[in-house]
Amino acid sequence: MNQPALPTDACIILTYRCQMRCQMCNIWQHPTDIEKEITADELQMLPGGFEFINLTGGEPFLRDDLEDIIRVLSPKTKRIVVSTSGYHYEKILRIVPQFTNVGVRVSIEGLSQKNDELRGRTGGFDRGMKTLLGLQKLGFKDIGFGITVSNNNSGDMLWLYELSRSMGLEFATATFHNSYYFHKDDNQITNIDKVCDDFRKLAHFQMKENKPKSWFRALFNLGLIRYINQEKRMLPCEAGTTNFFIDPYGDVYPCNGLEEKYWKESMGNIRNVQNFEEIWNSPKASAVREKVATCPKNCWMVGTASPVMHKYVKKVAPWIIKNKIKSLLGKSISMSAPFIDVRQDSRQGNLRQSEK
């Protein structure tokens, strides 16, 4: 009776192989062994009933069996989104149209020159745009940009937002993080005032839109300002409760923000069990959730922020309603995300506590 509910969200890291050479991510220096990557058959054991599955990497479209993987997962979830650089646009335009519940987010770090500089491959912006334009021509709606804001591309973020609006595309944001996944421990925003000011401008624009989804994204972006300023998360992290990550070798983690210098622990491996529930309901998974509740890191990434924004929507809604009314009246919205107390452990997000 005390078993946790099955998760609604999953992120499956299909490979650590990547053709890009991004400055904020060294995953490409640590590629997976193709022969050891999880297969479509192994993913059959995942339960159904998911709201959302994200397929990511590395570069998912480097997988020769990606069609088989999507074919296995598609009936298990309402929606799949593949995160990609868009580099392999011909392959993307061949595979994606075969499925009705698959969306695509192309990671682009700025306009053409800035993107290619930060992602380390000439022509990356052009290929990403060919992916988006090609999918749009085919009638796809669940497509858009995703940008990771670092020290010198927040200005381009605003131009990309305008581009996404003019094209009718989705626009997702992230910022510098360090983790085992990125193989980085030196990502740090140094021009804090400029980056935060650009995030405030973006939030202001998003609150003026007619889509409620954009209003919540505005609040998410103000949550990124809290993260950049090393303030407590707006909402607690509950990774490993409604969501999980699977790495290319089958290990199940609560998130991809773990760092070994703080802690990193798997809930189990899908190759060692008969069904996913054995992992999800195990004492090992319970121990990992307890560590999440007191995790000293203070990440604010969409994979773990979105589930709690949905869970605590009644706590979030007053800010949304109040500031949407302000926006409609031509007034300035609040430029700070609130700290929402839902009795989270005071040790969560407190790196100083972990260093004592």
Side-chain angles (χ1 to χ4, degrees):
M1 291 179 65
N2 294 323
Q3 290 179 347
L6 286 173
T8 60
D9 294 20
C11 181
I12 303 173
I13 307 167
L14 295 176
T15 182
Y16 290 147
R17 292 177 285 132
C18 188
Q19 75 288 323
M20 308 310 281
R21 302 292 183 263
C22 296
Q23 293 183 16
M24 63 285 188
C25 175
N26 288 333
I27 201 171
W28 56 275
Q29 296 179 3
H30 304 269
T32 36
D33 182 338
I34 298 176
E35 299 300 320
K36 296 180 180 179
E37 292 173 345
I38 49 176
T39 66
D41 285 343
E42 289 171 326
L43 291 170
Q44 282 277 14
M45 57 93 71
L46 292 178
F50 286 102
E51 294 289 325
F52 174 74
I53 294 177
N54 176 222
L55 300 180
T56 187
E59 174 53 68
F61 285 95
L62 287 176
R63 292 284 303 246
D64 292 334
D65 59 347
L66 183 58
E67 291 175 61
D68 296 331
I69 290 171
I70 297 176
R71 195 165 286 112
V72 164
L73 295 175
S74 184
K76 297 178 182 291
T77 182
K78 291 181 180 178
R79 180 171 171 245
I80 293 174
V81 169
V82 187
S83 300
T84 175
S85 66
Y87 200 80
H88 305 282
Y89 65 93
E90 292 177 335
K91 187 174 183 180
I92 296 170
L93 296 178
R94 175 174 58 82
I95 291 176
V96 173
Q98 299 179 45
F99 305 93
T100 59
N101 63 338
V102 175
V104 172
R105 293 296 178 274
V106 176
S107 297
I108 292 181
E109 311 310 330
L111 300 180
S112 58
Q113 290 183 329
K114 182 59 65 179
N115 176 78
D116 292 359
E117 170 195 337
L118 292 176
R119 295 189 70 82
R121 289 296 295 265
T122 301
F125 180 85
D126 291 351
R127 286 171 175 256
M129 288 302 300
K130 286 178 180 178
T131 291
L132 292 169
L133 290 167
L135 290 171
Q136 192 172 53
K137 187 176 181 180
L138 292 170
F140 278 80
K141 303 297 183 184
D142 193 0
I143 54 176
F145 297 102
I147 182 173
T148 298
V149 174
S150 51
N151 281 320
N152 57 1
N153 69 338
S154 62
D156 271 31
M157 170 183 70
L158 299 177
W159 288 112
L160 275 182
Y161 168 74
E162 294 296 341
L163 180 59
S164 71
R165 287 270 291 157
S166 67
M167 294 177 66
L169 302 179
E170 299 291 326
F171 188 71
T173 52
T175 191
F176 264 167
H177 281 79
N178 295 307
S179 77
Y180 82 93
Y181 174 65
F182 303 116
H183 295 276
K184 293 284 286 184
D185 61 8
D186 61 350
N187 280 335
Q188 182 180 1
I189 297 292
T190 53
N191 55 338
I192 292 175
D193 291 344
K194 166 64 174 169
V195 171
C196 290
D197 185 55
D198 286 335
F199 270 122
R200 292 186 188 100
K201 290 176 182 176
L202 178 60
H204 172 76
F205 296 148
Q206 289 172 323
M207 287 303 297
K208 286 184 172 295
E209 292 188 40
N210 295 323
K211 298 187 296 183
K213 190 173 183 178
S214 295
W215 311 339
F216 282 88
R217 283 178 173 160
L219 184 56
F220 171 82
N221 286 320
L222 295 179
L224 284 173
I225 294 176
R226 291 188 68 95
Y227 165 75
I228 292 168
N229 286 319
Q230 299 182 0
E231 299 174 280
K232 285 277 192 179
R233 285 171 58 111
M234 178 179 69
L235 288 163
C237 179
E238 297 183 359
T241 301
T242 57
N243 70 287
F244 64 89
F245 282 67
I246 299 179
D247 79 1
Y249 301 115
D251 271 311
V252 179
Y253 291 101
C255 71
N256 66 339
L258 303 175
E259 291 185 76
E260 290 180 348
K261 65 181 179 180
Y262 301 117
W263 72 283
K264 179 188 174 212
E265 191 170 325
S266 167
M267 293 174 150
N269 192 295
I270 64 172
R271 289 171 166 164
N272 299 333
V273 295
Q274 295 298 312
N275 58 69
F276 182 77
E277 288 85 344
E278 287 184 50
I279 293 175
W280 198 248
N281 299 328
S282 68
K284 194 171 183 180
S286 296
V288 168
R289 292 185 191 104
E290 289 178 8
K291 286 195 171 184
V292 169
T294 60
C295 178
K297 294 201 66 179
N298 206 27
C299 311
W300 187 251
M301 293 187 278
V302 70
T304 51
S306 178
V308 290
M309 289 183 75
H310 281 90
K311 178 179 177 178
Y312 298 107
V313 66
K314 290 183 179 179
K315 301 280 188 178
V316 170
W319 187 97
I320 298 290
I321 295 169
K322 177 181 178 180
N323 285 281
K324 181 56 186 176
I325 291 172
K326 282 185 174 182
S327 179
L328 289 170
L329 295 174
K331 297 180 179 179
S332 297
I333 68 167
S334 171
M335 285 300 172
S336 60
F339 172 76
I340 300 176
D341 186 358
V342 290
R343 299 183 179 180
Q344 55 266 56
D345 195 301
S346 62
R347 290 170 291 177
Q348 190 180 77
N350 188 350
L351 283 176
R352 288 184 292 273
Q353 180 76 24
S354 72
E355 293 166 355
K356 287 182 180 179

